[in-house]
Amino acid sequence: MTDVWIPVSLPRSDTVPLRQVVLTTLVIGIGALPAVLLGFGGAAIVGALVAVFSLVIAGGGPLRADLRTLWWAGPALILVMAAGPLLSGVTAVVVVFVIVFGSGMLATLGRHYAVVGQSLAAASLVAITGGISAEDGPGPVLFTGAVGLALAVAVRVSIGRDDPSGPTRAIVAGTLTDRDPGSLDYATRVWRSDGSPEWLGRILTGTAEYRAGRAMLAVQADQAEGVEEERLQAVLDDAELVATELAVAVRARACTGLPSQARLDPAARAIRLHGDAELPDSVDTMRVGLEQVRVAVLERVPGRAPRASFRAALHRAVGVLLAHLSFRSSLFRHSLRCALAVTAGMVAVLWLPDESAAPLLLVLYAVLQPMLRDTMEGALQRTGVVVFVVALLSVVAAFLPWPGVLLPFGLIAMVLGAARLRASLPLLLFCLLGVIVVVRVLQEDRAPTALAINITAISAIGATIALLVGFLSYLVLPGGIAPDVPGTLRRAVYAVRDLAAGAHGAVDTKEGRRALRSANVVALRRTQDLLGLQARLEEAGPEAQWTVRRAATAVHALRAALAQMAFRSDEERRQALPAAVTAERVLDYESRQPARIDLSSLAGPTLLVAPILESTLIARAAIDEVRAVDWTEPSAFDSDGESLGMTADPRQPERRWLSREGAVGSVDD
């Protein structure tokens, strides 16, 4: 009897369910009416903004993890929005500095915490200088904030109740098909946050083994010639076809069977066309990994894997934060730069007698913060856009007969479009600027032309402060303005090699553990510098940026994999040591020798060993690509990317990785 394959599609993430629209409209449109009639219109707006920020912070992941985030982030938002209007003078300046700097440093913990930090910072700036609820007092704000948080919880539950773990399955399935070396670690984190379903853990284990074999086979195919190259490439292509079909089955809510393509032997076509010549061990590694995925996706064993120790997770988080509390960290310098700029803007707000200075701080934040990179070029480009948007908003709001009508429709649209706001911090800040501009127009009794000019001038002052403080900080804080691609990559590579060497050194002694933590701190800083380098290569064109990004993500993922292995139990670490030795040997910046890796290292824990081997191979190839470019020549920065010394052969695995992935998001630490 033929197996019947039943994939159940997930709801589209870009559609808004009707029940969500009705619920949001009722709460904001009808629920806010009593507050407006009682004279608490500002508090009602704050409640809607709490709902917006809560959905931005807790969205895009599994329902269980998002609700857990709302459990602590929601009350923090309400407290910030209620206490912000009470701050003034030096206290307001200090609080603004601490919040902006702290939110910037949260990015060290990963992309989710970066969104949380940015949202908390934006909320604090709106609360302190927006003047939205200054006349209502903290009591009504606390009440409406609680209502807004309840609305966010209700909306989030309504979105995810039909398939709470759908995002987890989608992220785990994505690891079968993508080539981002950091995606497996990210998927493991999401899996843990969703309660660690056992069958998805087995899929992650099989995927890790498959990806290690795939990376090895890609290198072997690149080094082969003639018929052997065609044979290995055919195995690689068929394996990717099988993995794609299996990824569809993993995403499905239920699966009673697999289609014929998912059950294929990836080496069958190569054997049929080119005979029974011996295949490399990497093919067997891929076969074993794909078979593990097949069994796991069909059986879907119930139960939960043991949760990771909270103490260990907290220890790692504190270690990451401490690693970046140094002027040697580019992320620390950028967070400090943003905090200094916003603090200077706060001083200007206190000094200016005009209350319409409220948009100034958000303009500052919009100019400097959206790109968490050590660069000024992006800030210069965003300055004109931010000032133009604020000017347009002020003109529209000032000349409309009833500008207050914009608020309910705008707030409802922000709640319903929280997914888009989460993906684009500039869009979120522009929406907040629109709310503040409309509130200012409603509160001030001026001629429309004078009011629009005033708000536009204030936004220009904020942008100017951002550029001045940002540029001066480049002169004062350590770090060069000109990008040094070879030097930054070399320092990151050798820092990761030191970590690999320390992972199989004297780690059982107090001094050994201290040395290992020190090596991890240095590697963290230098790989973060490498990740931030892509933003400083605007003139080099997309090819150069993708090449540098590929090297950065591979080296950064290797550091994360080595750190995961180095701080595990003695038994797990001892089994995984061959992978660390291999990484230290292969990851030599000066060497041009082909990568040779013994896949017998996979005898250790797969989720520890396989990511090390895969990241090592990708990093080795990416280092060779970067070294092939003469970054001292102007031709290296041609916008068309033709002079970068890159091959255009579509069969090359490096080129295939670039063309399929393109420019993707940041990688978690």
Side-chain angles (χ1 to χ4, degrees):
M1 180 177 178
T2 305
D3 288 334
V4 179
W5 182 55
I6 309 176
V8 181
S9 301
L10 295 175
R12 288 171 54 89
S13 60
D14 56 348
T15 59
V16 181
L18 179 60
R19 61 176 178 267
Q20 182 182 344
V21 177
V22 173
L23 177 64
T24 304
T25 304
L26 287 176
V27 173
I28 293 181
I30 299 177
L33 184 60
V36 174
L37 295 177
L38 293 174
F40 298 129
I45 296 173
V46 168
L49 290 179
V50 168
V52 172
F53 285 123
S54 299
L55 289 172
V56 169
I57 287 174
L63 180 60
R64 179 197 301 259
D66 286 346
L67 293 180
R68 191 182 301 119
T69 300
L70 278 181
W71 181 80
W72 62 269
L77 279 170
I78 296 174
L79 182 62
V80 164
M81 298 298 286
L86 303 178
L87 301 177
S88 61
V90 178
T91 305
V93 174
V94 173
V95 169
V96 163
F97 177 86
V98 172
I99 290 179
V100 174
F101 176 76
S103 64
M105 294 302 295
L106 277 179
T108 60
L109 301 180
R111 70 187 75 174
H112 175 66
Y113 288 95
V115 174
V116 173
Q118 292 166 349
S119 300
L120 286 173
S124 65
L125 299 183
V126 170
I128 293 174
T129 64
I132 295 177
S133 61
E135 299 179 356
D136 296 337
V141 173
L142 290 173
F143 174 76
T144 56
V147 174
L149 179 59
L151 170 63
V153 172
V155 169
R156 184 62 190 92
V157 171
S158 70
I159 295 174
R161 68 177 183 181
D162 294 335
D163 192 9
S165 295
T168 305
R169 296 198 309 273
I171 292 172
V172 171
T175 60
L176 279 164
T177 55
D178 68 42
R179 291 177 177 266
D180 190 333
S183 62
L184 192 62
D185 179 64
Y186 175 67
T188 303
R189 292 169 183 261
V190 174
W191 169 66
R192 287 290 186 188
S193 71
D194 196 22
S196 308
E198 185 175 345
W199 75 278
L200 286 179
R202 295 185 179 185
I203 286 178
L204 285 171
T205 302
T207 301
E209 193 154 358
Y210 158 70
R211 287 171 61 122
R214 181 184 68 181
M216 186 73 254
L217 186 61
V219 173
Q220 292 166 337
D222 186 34
Q223 295 170 355
E225 296 179 353
V227 176
E228 180 67 11
E229 180 186 7
E230 294 178 2
R231 188 169 70 112
L232 297 182
Q233 190 61 51
V235 175
L236 194 61
D237 292 341
D238 286 353
E240 292 178 350
L241 177 63
V242 173
T244 301
E245 294 294 334
L246 288 175
V248 176
V250 173
R251 289 188 184 93
R253 300 182 192 179
C255 182
T256 60
L258 293 174
S260 57
Q261 287 184 330
R263 298 194 299 265
L264 286 176
D265 177 7
R269 182 165 65 98
I271 294 175
R272 185 174 65 253
L273 295 177
H274 302 286
D276 295 330
E278 184 179 358
L279 291 170
D281 293 340
S282 55
V283 176
D284 290 334
T285 302
M286 288 197 307
R287 283 169 165 168
V288 171
L290 291 174
E291 182 60 26
Q292 290 182 14
V293 175
R294 290 189 190 101
V295 174
V297 76
L298 286 174
E299 294 182 354
R300 304 205 175 199
V301 177
R304 304 281 174 175
R307 289 188 60 85
S309 169
F310 175 76
R311 181 178 179 182
L314 181 62
H315 182 269
R316 284 194 298 269
V318 172
V320 170
L321 286 172
L322 293 178
H324 285 283
L325 289 177
S326 169
F327 283 106
R328 299 175 183 176
S329 169
S330 62
L331 187 58
F332 176 88
R333 295 194 299 268
H334 186 63
S335 299
L336 185 58
R337 182 177 302 116
C338 291
L340 290 174
V342 176
T343 302
M346 187 67 209
V347 173
V349 170
L350 296 176
W351 177 70
L352 290 172
D354 195 343
E355 292 184 355
S356 61
L360 190 145
L361 286 191
L362 277 179
V363 169
L364 273 164
Y365 199 63
V367 169
L368 283 182
Q369 185 66 15
M371 301 298 179
L372 293 174
R373 300 162 176 172
D374 206 6
T375 177
M376 279 293 291
E377 288 85 352
L380 286 170
Q381 296 172 3
R382 289 190 299 272
T383 300
V385 176
V386 173
V387 175
F388 173 77
V389 169
V390 174
L392 181 62
L393 291 172
S394 61
V395 169
V396 172
F399 284 91
L400 275 180
W402 301 286
V405 177
L406 295 174
L407 285 176
F409 291 103
L411 292 171
I412 291 173
M414 291 173 68
V415 172
L416 298 178
R420 295 186 180 275
L421 299 181
R422 185 186 315 116
S424 175
L425 179 63
L427 180 59
L428 172 62
L429 294 177
F430 287 149
C431 291
L432 295 176
L433 281 169
V435 172
I436 291 180
V437 167
V438 173
V439 170
R440 291 262 65 97
V441 170
L442 293 174
Q443 291 178 346
E444 297 190 23
D445 186 14
R446 295 190 188 182
T449 303
L451 186 57
I453 293 175
N454 179 268
I455 295 176
T456 304
I458 289 296
S459 67
I461 293 174
T464 303
I465 294 175
L467 294 179
L468 286 176
V469 177
F471 180 75
L472 290 176
S473 64
Y474 270 102
L475 303 180
V476 176
L477 299 178
I481 295 180
D484 179 13
V485 176
T488 306
L489 179 59
R490 184 187 299 108
R491 288 189 291 271
V493 167
Y494 283 131
V496 174
R497 286 193 72 203
D498 289 344
L499 177 60
H504 58 82
V507 295
D508 293 328
T509 65
K510 184 177 180 179
E511 293 77 11
R513 287 190 293 269
R514 185 183 299 113
L516 187 59
R517 286 194 295 268
S518 177
N520 189 37
V521 164
V522 175
L524 264 171
R525 293 171 184 164
R526 293 185 177 175
T527 54
Q528 182 65 48
D529 291 343
L530 188 59
L531 285 171
L533 196 62
Q534 176 190 349
R536 303 170 65 186
L537 298 173
E538 284 90 350
E539 297 180 1
E543 290 281 3
Q545 288 181 307
W546 292 345
T547 302
V548 172
R549 183 199 174 274
R550 185 184 181 216
T553 53
V555 174
H556 186 73
L558 178 57
R559 185 219 60 81
L562 287 169
Q564 285 282 341
M565 182 271 291
F567 298 103
R568 287 296 184 95
S569 65
D570 293 343
E571 181 180 357
E572 289 180 308
R573 190 174 61 249
R574 188 164 46 251
Q575 294 177 358
L577 284 182
V581 175
T582 300
E584 182 189 6
R585 175 178 55 83
V586 174
L587 200 66
D588 186 353
Y589 185 83
E590 304 299 337
S591 173
R592 292 183 180 271
Q593 296 298 322
R596 303 292 181 185
I597 289 183
D598 183 9
L599 287 176
S600 63
S601 301
L602 282 174
T606 306
L607 277 177
L608 292 180
V609 174
I612 296 177
L613 299 180
E614 181 194 21
S615 300
T616 299
L617 288 166
I618 297 177
R620 176 70 266 172
I623 290 169
D624 293 339
E625 271 193 6
V626 173
R627 291 191 61 195
V629 181
D630 185 2
W631 297 95
T632 62
E633 293 293 330
S635 59
F637 292 90
D638 287 348
S639 59
D640 56 5
E642 293 296 332
S643 59
L644 294 173
M646 302 178 188
T647 176
D649 188 350
R651 295 175 298 174
Q652 297 291 338
E654 294 82 10
R655 293 290 301 184
R656 192 170 56 249
W657 188 91
L658 289 174
S659 61
R660 291 183 181 183
E661 296 300 321
V664 297
S666 62
V667 177
D668 276 358
D669 171 62

